[in-house]
Amino acid sequence: MIEPLVGAPLQDLRADKARDVMSEHTTDNNPLIDRSDAPRFEEIRPEHVEPAVKDLLAKLNVELETLEKSADAGRANDWESLVEPYANIGDRLELCWGVVGHLTGVRNTPELRASHEAMQPAIVEFATRLGQSRPLYDALERLRDRDPDGTLDVTQKRILDSLLLDARLSGVSLDGAERERFNAIQLEMAELGTRFGNNVLDATKAFALELTEEDEVAGLPASARALAAQSAREAGAKDADPDKGPWRITLDAPALIPFLEHSRRRDLREHLYRAYLTRAGSGESDNSPIIERILTLRGERARLLGFATHAETSLASKMAPDVASVEQLLGELRAASHDTAVAELNELADFARSHGSEDELAHWDVAYWAERMREQLYELSDEELRPYFPLPSVLEGLFALAARLFDIRIEAADGEVQVWHPDVRYFRVTTPEGEPVAAFYLDPYSRPAEKRGGAWMDECVGRSNSKGATPRLPVAYVICNQSAPVGDNPSLMTFSELRTIFHEFGHALQHMLTRVDHSLASGIRGVEWDAVELPSQFMENWCYHKETLLGLSRHVDSGEALPDELFDRIVKARNFRSASAMLRQIYFATLDLELHHRWGIEAGESVLELQRRVAADNTVLAPLAEDRFLCSFGHIFAGGYAAGYYSYKWAEVLSADAFAAFEDAGLDDTGVIAATGKRFRDTVLALGGSRPPMEVFEAFRGREPSSEALLRHSGLAPAGA
């Protein structure tokens, strides 16, 4: 499945190809500026973007100049006069531009793209200027080094260190031609990043497999047929019927994955797979030249900052100390999974042959035969499980788990705020006594025409409680792309979609349950990128906890909970082809690292040649010659994971070991679970970026992390371990 994303930093927000946007709108009552509480999503239009951003930047530039003069004169010399105004500038920019960036991900239109592009250069220029302010950098450095009375607490000192590092990575030490070149790179990369993401969205929208014959949908379960017929109706076939057709299969995950897993038409599976694999790899949406340009610019930027490669630049602000440490972890996991993954592929090929397949196992066969093998070994299929996981019941169970673990209450608050689509829900988080803690939006369903794929959590509002200001509670966006309701039924979730919503809610919990009052370190802010997946991957483990899973299950027709025997099969199937899944992540992480640490035009190796070289040691089924997977690898070319994709595995070591604390305490003891959950909340969730992640983990676990739990949970632990 497509890996989740968390929101990219401000400097990583992107823009599409430049277009002139003329607007006569003023800032009077502009919904991007005039917001007393939540964003006015139903009122925001593309034409509001330019006047709002221009007005805001004009004010922020004046405030920044004033703050710089105060810093130079020595008047801005303490936390209240220097850091808080600095943080306020960034906060106000994010409150406006963050909404624009959010809407480009969930309600993308040509008009919004144009408005986004029109103001992106100004946003990048201001963010760069803020990061490169020498007067503020010098004042921050003096404040950190001076502090004679020890008035700064641990969190404030860590924030200062982070701000100074961010400034250095933003080019504060550069002058003259080097600074001009650095800033030009920032602007060009902003434009390239959004072009990349928009190309993927456009290429995904442009393809559809139109089917009209019964034989063409042979093997598809009823839910997949219903979704395909609904897609056909939305495309204009008013009489499309799940049983009679026509049917429309897209490259969107809820349509793509069931087709690859169940279609008996091998030729159609191949056609669909090749279309998915070559997305944005040719024609008007071709990302190939963009990839090389992005990599070249990242390398040049790294050298300007004094690093040898972009990977070294990236790791300067992460938990992992250096590239060698990351490669060591990936090497250990590769050694633990590679040979088993080879054996898994051979077993699958043997299974296919024993069931009548005369073809050599190809990429478009793996999902199909793996699903048949899983059905036979465990008598388990997603279609059998779907009816037990209607979204309303899943949410009820997820919120009940959060209450047991973290002593919070979650209540629906639909209608209290404006939303960007009728399917979006709004929830408030409180203490058991009803005291407000946080809130979040949930946008659960796939909308391939306007919403990018994958799943992610992002910040709508961060927690803040600075002196002299109104306390601000955190608000999160939780975005998924699961199967939409079909007919009168609610959304019936696959087990993978269930895990995804647990994952994203884990991110949201860290954002919402923070107790850090300083906005620069609250929630996920200030958390090193390779530690930010800890709470999200930790929450996935509860999908295999019997009380939790049975508690959230409720058959859509009978209302019965998941039978014990089905739960037992889910647990037994947990590690089915787990080595293959592990190796897949290692392949992506290694490829990302090689591209950002060893690739260069001067080396004479093309990006595709590098991919094939990495694949030789990290895959068991060689990529096709026309493989253009990199052209849709948005995590590293249009998101925040460049030279950081390894973070999923790095943080999974932490998350598995964290869940092992609950296993050690006893998963059947509700009192012990609550106590352990409180400790997890008080450390991992509450401390956010206020402490180094290793210190936070040790505060919870009482020791450094171990990879033993990850290998055990994956069924890859050495014998006797």
Side-chain angles (χ1 to χ4, degrees):
M1 299 299 289
I2 300 172
E3 290 76 11
L5 285 171
V6 292
L10 176 63
Q11 60 266 33
D12 285 335
L13 293 173
R14 309 297 191 219
D16 190 17
K17 186 178 180 180
R19 303 180 192 180
D20 292 330
V21 177
M22 302 301 293
S23 174
E24 298 179 357
H25 286 259
T26 69
T27 57
D28 294 339
N29 200 35
N30 188 312
L32 273 170
I33 295 177
D34 180 18
R35 49 178 282 191
S36 57
D37 184 15
R40 292 158 54 187
F41 287 114
E42 294 168 15
E43 302 172 47
I44 295 171
R45 300 289 180 268
E47 56 266 26
H48 291 131
V49 174
E50 187 170 353
V53 172
K54 284 183 175 178
D55 179 74
L56 179 62
L57 288 180
K59 293 175 180 176
L60 294 183
N61 269 300
V62 172
E63 292 179 21
L64 177 55
E65 291 173 4
T66 301
L67 183 60
E68 287 177 324
K69 290 177 182 178
S70 294
D72 270 339
R75 294 190 300 273
N77 59 5
D78 59 15
W79 189 266
E80 287 73 20
S81 62
L82 175 62
V83 182
E84 289 186 358
Y86 182 98
N88 183 56
I89 290 173
D91 267 353
R92 289 166 59 201
L93 185 62
E94 182 63 26
L95 284 173
C96 174
W97 189 246
V99 169
V100 179
H102 169 71
L103 289 175
T104 64
V106 297
R107 202 177 72 190
N108 197 298
T109 65
E111 294 79 14
L112 182 60
R113 288 186 189 185
S115 297
H116 189 270
E117 159 59 17
M119 296 315 302
Q120 179 68 21
I123 290 288
V124 174
E125 287 172 1
F126 180 80
T128 301
R129 186 195 162 198
L130 181 64
Q132 292 178 348
S133 172
R134 192 73 202 193
L136 296 187
Y137 179 84
D138 291 340
L140 291 168
E141 197 169 44
R142 288 194 299 269
L143 177 60
R144 182 199 62 182
D145 294 341
R146 189 180 68 246
D147 191 29
D149 304 321
T151 56
L152 299 177
D153 60 32
V154 174
T155 299
Q156 291 171 316
K157 291 177 180 177
R158 177 166 159 83
I159 288 172
L160 284 175
D161 287 339
S162 296
L163 288 175
L164 292 169
L165 175 60
D166 288 346
R168 291 192 290 272
L169 296 179
S170 296
V172 71
S173 299
L174 301 178
D175 293 308
E178 287 188 338
R179 175 175 284 205
E180 289 182 10
R181 180 57 190 152
F182 181 93
N183 293 349
I185 289 173
Q186 294 290 82
L187 284 170
E188 184 177 356
M189 285 181 58
E191 188 263 344
L192 290 171
T194 285
R195 279 179 56 197
F196 186 100
N198 286 337
N199 283 345
V200 175
L201 180 64
D202 291 344
T204 302
K205 285 195 300 183
F207 177 90
L209 193 59
E210 307 288 350
L211 307 177
T212 59
E213 302 297 326
E214 173 67 25
D215 175 68
E216 294 174 321
V217 293
L220 294 190
S223 62
R225 287 190 180 208
L227 181 64
Q230 180 168 285
S231 178
R233 288 194 297 272
E234 291 170 352
K238 296 180 180 179
D239 298 326
D241 180 85
D243 296 320
K244 300 177 182 179
W247 303 273
R248 186 172 183 267
I249 309 297
T250 69
L251 298 180
D252 201 40
L256 172 78
I257 293 171
F259 196 90
L260 292 178
E261 289 181 340
H262 297 285
S263 172
R264 294 178 191 150
R265 283 285 299 269
R266 187 172 190 261
D267 59 328
L268 296 180
R269 294 202 310 266
E270 178 180 357
H271 182 58
L272 196 66
Y273 179 85
R274 288 183 185 274
Y276 182 77
L277 193 71
T278 56
R279 279 184 308 162
S282 62
E284 293 182 0
S285 298
D286 188 5
N287 275 333
S288 302
I290 294 178
I291 289 174
E292 290 204 357
R293 184 59 179 164
I294 287 175
L295 292 173
T296 299
L297 290 174
R298 285 174 177 168
E300 183 182 357
R301 182 178 62 180
R303 290 187 290 275
L304 284 170
L305 293 174
F307 296 94
T309 68
H310 176 73
E312 292 183 1
T313 310
S314 174
L315 289 171
S317 59
K318 290 183 170 62
M319 185 179 179
D322 50 41
V323 174
S325 300
V326 175
E327 291 180 330
Q328 180 180 345
L329 172 65
L330 295 177
E332 291 172 357
L333 297 178
R334 184 182 300 111
S337 59
H338 184 274
D339 291 350
T340 303
V342 172
E344 289 175 351
L345 184 67
N346 292 335
E347 290 170 2
L348 190 63
D350 291 342
F351 177 85
R353 282 191 294 269
S354 70
H355 286 73
S357 175
E358 298 178 356
D359 302 296
E360 183 177 350
L361 200 69
H363 289 276
W364 47 88
D365 299 320
V366 172
Y368 177 80
W369 287 111
E371 189 64 13
R372 304 289 79 73
M373 188 174 180
R374 189 168 76 115
E375 289 170 353
Q376 179 170 307
L377 287 175
Y378 307 105
E379 298 180 325
L380 191 69
S381 71
D382 270 337
E383 295 312 306
E384 184 180 13
L385 295 176
R386 270 185 193 270
Y388 288 98
F389 300 131
L391 177 61
S393 177
V394 169
L395 291 179
E396 184 180 334
L398 175 57
F399 299 163
L401 173 66
R404 291 196 303 273
L405 293 178
F406 310 125
D407 198 28
I408 57 175
R409 299 294 179 267
I410 301 172
E411 297 179 350
D414 300 306
E416 290 188 9
V417 299
Q418 295 185 19
V419 295
W420 54 91
H421 189 276
D423 291 337
V424 176
R425 304 284 311 277
Y426 188 69
F427 298 89
R428 293 202 179 275
V429 182
T430 69
T431 66
E433 296 74 31
E435 182 181 349
V437 173
F440 66 95
Y441 298 85
L442 173 64
D443 186 351
Y445 310 132
S446 168
R447 297 190 300 275
E450 65 176 11
K451 184 180 178 183
R452 68 178 170 90
W456 64 96
M457 190 286 297
D458 204 352
E459 171 186 305
C460 176
V461 177
R463 176 184 168 95
S464 177
N465 191 17
S466 56
K467 289 184 179 179
T470 302
R472 193 178 66 195
L473 296 179
V475 181
Y477 302 122
V478 178
I479 314 296
C480 298
N481 266 286
Q482 69 193 50
S483 307
V486 176
D488 296 329
N489 281 332
S491 172
L492 302 180
M493 302 173 68
T494 66
F495 191 73
S496 179
E497 290 171 343
L498 176 73
R499 289 182 56 181
T500 295
I501 201 167
F502 268 66
H503 181 110
E504 300 310 331
F505 193 67
H507 282 307
L509 286 169
Q510 186 173 37
H511 174 68
M512 296 188 298
L513 299 188
T514 182
R515 291 178 183 154
V516 179
D517 287 335
H518 301 295
S519 64
L520 292 171
S522 67
I524 62 171
R525 291 189 182 187
V527 178
E528 281 77 351
W529 199 253
D530 44 4
V532 80
E533 296 292 339
L534 192 171
S536 55
Q537 293 178 148
F538 162 82
M539 286 297 293
E540 287 189 50
N541 288 282
W542 293 99
C543 296
Y544 298 94
H545 178 232
K546 187 172 184 176
E547 179 186 351
T548 298
L549 196 64
L550 269 59
L552 62 77
S553 64
R554 186 177 303 141
H555 196 282
V556 67
D557 295 323
S558 68
E560 295 178 355
L562 188 77
D564 287 351
E565 62 174 347
L566 272 182
F567 172 78
D568 292 340
R569 290 184 220 162
I570 289 172
V571 173
K572 289 178 182 177
R574 179 178 186 177
N575 292 326
F576 177 59
R577 294 179 54 77
S578 62
S580 299
M582 174 85 76
L583 194 62
R584 177 178 181 269
Q585 291 294 90
I586 295 167
Y587 169 46
F588 293 164
T590 305
L591 181 57
D592 169 40
L593 207 61
E594 286 288 306
L595 285 169
H596 289 103
H597 192 55
R598 295 187 174 88
W599 180 83
I601 293 177
E602 65 280 356
E605 182 182 44
S606 72
V607 169
L608 292 178
E609 287 170 341
L610 182 147
Q611 180 185 358
R612 287 192 286 271
R613 171 169 61 80
V614 172
D617 294 326
N618 294 278
T619 65
V620 294
L621 194 58
L624 300 176
E626 64 268 40
D627 186 315
R628 295 297 182 272
F629 153 71
L630 284 173
C631 290
S632 59
F633 198 1
H635 279 69
I636 67 173
F637 294 118
Y641 283 85
Y645 195 89
Y646 76 90
S647 300
Y648 283 107
K649 283 302 168 193
W650 187 276
E652 196 173 359
V653 170
L654 305 177
S655 65
D657 202 3
F659 187 74
F662 290 81
E663 295 175 317
D664 295 344
L667 290 173
D668 296 327
D669 189 327
T670 56
V672 172
I673 290 297
T676 310
K678 182 179 185 304
R679 195 167 75 249
F680 188 85
R681 174 179 175 170
D682 290 344
T683 52
V684 176
L685 301 181
L687 295 177
S690 68
R691 304 286 190 281
M694 183 63 76
E695 184 179 317
V696 173
F697 183 89
E698 290 178 354
F700 168 68
R701 198 68 171 101
R703 57 166 173 75
E704 292 187 354
S706 165
S707 62
E708 183 276 330
L710 173 59
L711 294 176
R712 174 168 52 82
H713 290 167
S714 303
L716 298 172

